[in-house]
Amino acid sequence: MFKNKSSLSVCIIAKNEENNLRDCLESVRTIAEEIILVDTGSTDSTIEIAREYGAKIIESPWCDDFSYSRNISIENASCKYILIIDADERLINPDLLIEAITNSKQEIGAWLIEVCSEARRADGGTDKFKTSLLRLFINHPEVRFSGIIHEQIIEPLISIGKKIENTQIQFFHLGYSLTIEQMRKKNERNLHLLQKALLKQPANAHNLYHLSKTYLALGDLKNAAINIEKSIKFANTNSAIYPQSLNYGAIIAFQMKDYKLALERSAKSLEIVNNQMFANFIIGETMSTLGRFQDALDAYLRLDFARQNPDTMAQIIGDYYLPQEQYHYRVGRSYIGLKDYKKARIEFTSGNLINPNDTSCLVGLGNVAFSENDYKKARFYLNQALAISPNQSDLLSFMKQVDDIENANKLLVQHRNDQELTNIDFKIQDSSNDFNASNSYKDELFPFITLAMIVKNEEKFLDGCLESVKGIVDEIIIVDTGSTDTTKEIAQKHAAKIFDFEWIGDFAAARNESLKHCTGKWILYLDADERLDRLYSKDLKYILANLPEEIGGIICTIESDHLQLTGSVENHRGGYPRIFRNYGYPKIQFRGRVHEQITPSIFELGKTVPLSDVVITHLGYNQSREIMESKIKRNYQMLLAHVNEEPLNGYAWYQLGQTLAQMSIIKEAEEAIRFAIKVGSLSCSVYASAAATLSQITGNQKKFSEALEWADKSLSSAPNQVYALNLKAYSLLYLDRNEEAVTIFEEVLKRSRAAQGVPHSGFDIRIPEEIILNGINEAKKKLGLN
């Protein structure tokens, strides 16, 4: 008899795992009735760590057979259920595991666990992988592992009449986060074990399959092909290994450019398991290579259907997980082949939002721009990709191709004005007419995007704002805090829902009042003196509808000209999450009396906020001196109230310091910003801005060494900005470090000319080019170069 109905034995085999074991055991500690560890020869502290957790230790010398060691562990298990876990794995959600076995039905004998792993790419990026494995099963005398490596347990479970259930239980696997050399040694070890096993059973399809995969990992395509063909030949057509062998056989045939065989093997695999991702992925890749883009697109769409509707049999045989950004890239690539550039752009943009560090979708966006003869935009996207992967040869080749074609077209313009000068006749259509055809965001009961605004006496600006979102938002919520002009009448003309709210000197309170009335799935918030740039926003609905749930909002670029009290104008660019999911108030809410924020609320829900191409133009800071003084004084009073209420709120002190600086109260501004940094609760972008402001202030005080120090601190937090780099260059200039100054000024000039989209620092200030050039000239003059 077992200890209790839902008792669990956790079984591990390990050797020299002192660096991994503790975290593994911590992850199962709360649910394990017993822990059994088979140690195969550790010389470190593995056994001592296991004893700390009350594990039953069985020392068994390694005999080149994983199943042998696994079976020793489960033969010593006394609980009703067994969980197999390796030292380099972590159980993510133990509650789901207990729920699965507690509520198990009589016919269920095992549960699939999703194993998530990461592998580092050569370009420094990270690929994520998911596979489902049978690691949780009933304790039964006939259920034992077989296979000296890549051991299996499915056949005995089926033979005793048990079914397998899919779950959302997850392991995180660290084992592929290895160096190239470590992976090579691991594969060579596996190769030795598999060759040894095949000496005894040369027709074992399971071992032949894994031998082929190992050769493939080692780059030996010839031997991979020989052994996968044997595996397909010897595999029982009713076994799980047969469709697995067909899929890998198709991958190998594809790599050997035998596209006919790749398609044949993929099709045969689909006959066995129709709803799978793997075979459809291979068909998509093969059809793309053959230039059959509609067939490729169809295959990728079937892949996505299988992803959203997982099939247990597909999980058992080992389905392929394609990261979502790569799915969007491949669909976009297919649309380029079909010359549907509008849909291609949407797919690439969606993929880039999901993973901004993946270069594929950036290259795709560059390809679309290139196809539209927009060479400036093509370079912009390619430069973004090169910033991530500077040594990627195909990117450099593409950039050269862009330059060559543009130069050729310029020559044609000069000499052949009477001929058609472009290879592709393509006109961007307004995609707002296409939205009614998509069911991905249509909902008869609720709007998709709600515009939320707070206003007071905005008759000058409101109409222009609402015109800019026409056809993009489905609902307009306006909270009026006491207008006495025609603001409400203008809002009514645009079918807005208007709610009165007494102004209490708190922007967050007014914003939150608007959230209470929003019924859309997504919320866009604007001020009346802002305009949504339609060029970058026309595909907004489609993009939002296809974002994964972990994304809670998107960062938009806010561009504004700031009229200084001195009469000069600064162009500022900042990144803010102006579009976010409607989780319902108060689950999602603004905070801060002035310069209110929504980001903390999104992060508390465990959601991410990636960058986007959406641009909002802000007109409110380019107004008369009188209006600006009035705004600054209003903000000053509200910020004073804020820091009195929350004296340790670093962000409030930072904003107070910025406002004091605008009022030319420099000493108090410097004190406020220094205190904001001292409090230590600033985000990276706000810290970067605060440090840059102190660099500006101390530089004006001729404290150039300190100005340089603050500029470096700003750049350490936001290294890609222009503003702090320019401050650094001028600090070096005035410290007579002129050679360094020239180098930095030249980098400032390069960045300034390339600046576009959301600044990676979260904020930036455009530096007039003459200021940069003046700095270069002055530094060169000191060096005697002018």
Side-chain angles (χ1 to χ4, degrees), residues 590-613:
F590 287 91
R591 292 172 191 168
R593 277 181 174 270
V594 65
H595 301 295
E596 62 281 8
Q597 295 179 287
I598 197 72
T599 311
S601 189
I602 298 173
F603 286 165
E604 284 170 10
L605 294 169
K607 305 299 180 180
T608 60
V609 187
L611 305 179
S612 78
D613 282 339

Side-chain angles (χ1 to χ4, degrees), residues 543-558:
I543 291 166
L544 293 178
N546 287 279
L547 290 180
E549 286 299 320
E550 60 263 27
I551 291 180
I554 60 173
I555 294 175
C556 307
T557 301
I558 315 297

Side-chain angles (χ1 to χ4, degrees), residues 61-107:
W62 177 242
C63 60
D64 286 350
D65 189 332
F66 280 93
S67 286
Y68 176 79
S69 300
R70 292 276 188 222
N71 290 335
I72 289 176
S73 72
I74 63 179
E75 283 161 7
N76 283 273
S78 61
C79 296
K80 185 174 181 179
Y81 299 99
I82 292 172
L83 175 69
I84 300 293
I85 190 169
D86 289 333
D88 60 359
E89 294 172 335
R90 313 285 180 258
L91 177 62
I92 303 301
N93 40 13
D95 292 346
L96 285 183
L97 189 150
I98 292 300
E99 183 181 326
I101 60 178
T102 302
N103 301 323
S104 63
K105 298 175 183 176
Q106 184 66 30
E107 67 270 20

